[in-house]
Amino acid sequence: MPKDSYETRDYSLTGPEAARAEALGLVSAGWYHSDVPRKVMKELMQRKDGPATRDTILWIGLLLVSGAGGVLTWGTWWCVPFFVVYGVLYGSACDSRWHECGHGTAFKTQWKNRWVYNLASFMVMRNPVAWRWSHMRHHTDTIIVGRDPEIAIMRPPDIARKALHFIGIPDVFQHFAILMRQALSGPDEAERGYIPESQIPKAIFWARLFVAIHLAAALLALITWSLLPLMLVGGPRIYGTWHMVLTGLLQHGGLAEDVLDHRLNSRTVLMNPVSRWIYWNMNYHVEHHMYPVVPYHALPRLHEAIKHDLPAPDPSMFHAYREMLGALRRMRREPGYYLRRELPPTAKPYREEFHGADAVPAAE
């Protein structure tokens, strides 16, 4: 495909690419899955309260301790390490908690999933109703242009803009603007395409509640003439979001669009134990997309069960970024390019009926 024609692709959910994806059979399609013995999958799918309860108590406890330390040492340099920890726990760890509890797999007890999901949604500035349905669409139509509302890196990639996301700019302002718009006028046309009509009043309620809390924190900062309220509420979405972005861009960045095989559009990266705890094992991202019903604490075991059928995982975040950035730089010259990971000899061939520019022409 000519370079210029690919650059005109419309990533919105209401443009011509949505109809084209449906015409090509890419909407709610059958995806490739690595074979897992039934007994093994039954064990992997087992939900437990223990691991998530332990991790949540640790998460909330560290938030309280680091936040209290920041408040007590406010006005001195001693507050910096406290807010570094608090910021990551608030502005980055919230994303994985939002994600897993949104799937309803982190805890066996569903009210615990709902409680942590709503708290984490507030921290990450996402409407818990709208994003539940958005993420469902992301899984049914992963990186399908015109269908997936969560494509993080579009083509040609704007690398400089993505770099700003490490400090929450402009991402945090866009997310708050979306909440404000939902609070005032409700979901827009694209959101109404995946949010059921019966859920719209709930989406408006949560948007209004989240906006009110953030505005209250801003008002308190003005009254006290201090940044401290914003350091505790809202602000971590700027200064603590870097780890969420660091790990999140690796999920699909530089890989294929419009395919029906998660081995082509998702990436598994081996990470250090601290990042894995913050990220709740979402570094096993191919595995998660193949089997989203498997809880986060079982993903390492799922990886061991199917790694013979997957591309070799990146051995580190450094290796993954070097590989991804090389692909993104090439995409700026050749938007149709994508990084195609090699499969081991034991793997079944890629399901490549559709892949990238070779299959889906751009909108006219």
Side-chain angles (χ1 to χ4, degrees), residues 289-344:
H289 268 275
M290 273 194 186
Y291 293 104
V293 293
V294 173
Y296 76 96
H297 53 78
L299 288 177
R301 286 185 287 142
L302 175 59
H303 171 74
E304 290 299 317
I306 64 175
K307 65 181 181 180
H308 65 279
D309 196 40
L310 308 181
D314 284 276
S316 67
M317 283 190 280
F318 176 80
H319 181 277
Y321 262 93
R322 184 174 62 182
E323 178 183 72
M324 182 182 72
L325 289 174
L328 296 183
R329 285 193 294 268
R330 183 168 173 181
M331 284 179 183
R332 290 184 61 80
R333 303 188 305 271
E334 307 170 49
Y337 172 79
Y338 68 91
L339 183 66
R340 186 179 186 278
R341 312 291 296 280
E342 292 300 319
L343 291 172

Side-chain angles (χ1 to χ4, degrees), residues 86 90 122 125 213-214 217-218 227-237 239:
Y86 181 82
Y90 183 125
F122 169 76
M125 288 189 182
I213 296 172
H214 282 103
L227 285 174
L228 184 57
L230 296 179
M231 292 294 291
L232 294 169
V233 177
R237 188 60 177 79
Y239 71 82

Side-chain angles (χ1 to χ4, degrees), residues 262-275:
H262 293 114
R263 298 174 299 174
L264 280 163
N265 69 10
S266 304
R267 176 186 283 106
T268 288
V269 184
L270 302 183
M271 293 182 180
N272 64 78
V274 174
S275 288

Side-chain angles (χ1 to χ4, degrees), residues 216-226:
L219 180 60
L220 183 60
L222 287 172
I223 292 172
T224 60
W225 203 243
S226 171

Side-chain angles (χ1 to χ4, degrees), residues 122-181:
F122 169 76
M123 291 175 166
V124 79
M125 288 189 182
R126 292 174 185 159
N127 188 307
V129 175
W131 275 80
R132 186 184 297 278
W133 293 96
S134 165
H135 197 67
M136 186 180 297
R137 173 71 70 82
H138 171 64
H139 270 274
T140 57
D141 298 330
T142 307
I143 319 299
I144 302 298
V145 178
R147 291 288 299 178
D148 187 348
E150 298 181 19
I151 297 178
I153 300 178
M154 302 174 187
R155 306 183 188 191
D158 188 340
I159 298 175
R161 185 180 179 87
K162 285 300 169 185
L164 288 174
H165 283 237
F166 282 85
I167 53 172
I169 299 173
D171 183 61
V172 66
F173 301 106
Q174 292 174 338
H175 275 66
F176 187 75
I178 290 170
L179 284 173
M180 182 67 79
R181 186 254 302 154

Side-chain angles (χ1 to χ4, degrees), residues 32 45 137 176 192 238:
Y32 174 81
M45 289 171 56
R137 173 71 70 82
F176 187 75
R192 288 174 184 271
I238 298 175

Side-chain angles (χ1 to χ4, degrees), residues 176-248:
F176 187 75
I178 290 170
L179 284 173
M180 182 67 79
R181 186 254 302 154
Q182 291 170 341
L184 295 174
S185 60
D188 63 14
E189 181 184 357
E191 292 163 340
R192 288 174 184 271
Y194 52 79
I195 302 174
E197 189 70 26
S198 63
Q199 297 296 303
I200 288 177
K202 293 181 181 179
I204 295 172
F205 165 79
W206 284 106
R208 289 175 177 172
L209 178 62
F210 287 5
V211 167
I213 296 172
H214 282 103
L215 291 180
L219 180 60
L220 183 60
L222 287 172
I223 292 172
T224 60
W225 203 243
S226 171
L227 285 174
L228 184 57
L230 296 179
M231 292 294 291
L232 294 169
V233 177
R237 188 60 177 79
I238 298 175
Y239 71 82
T241 197
W242 62 269
H243 191 277
M244 176 178 72
V245 178
L246 179 73
T247 52

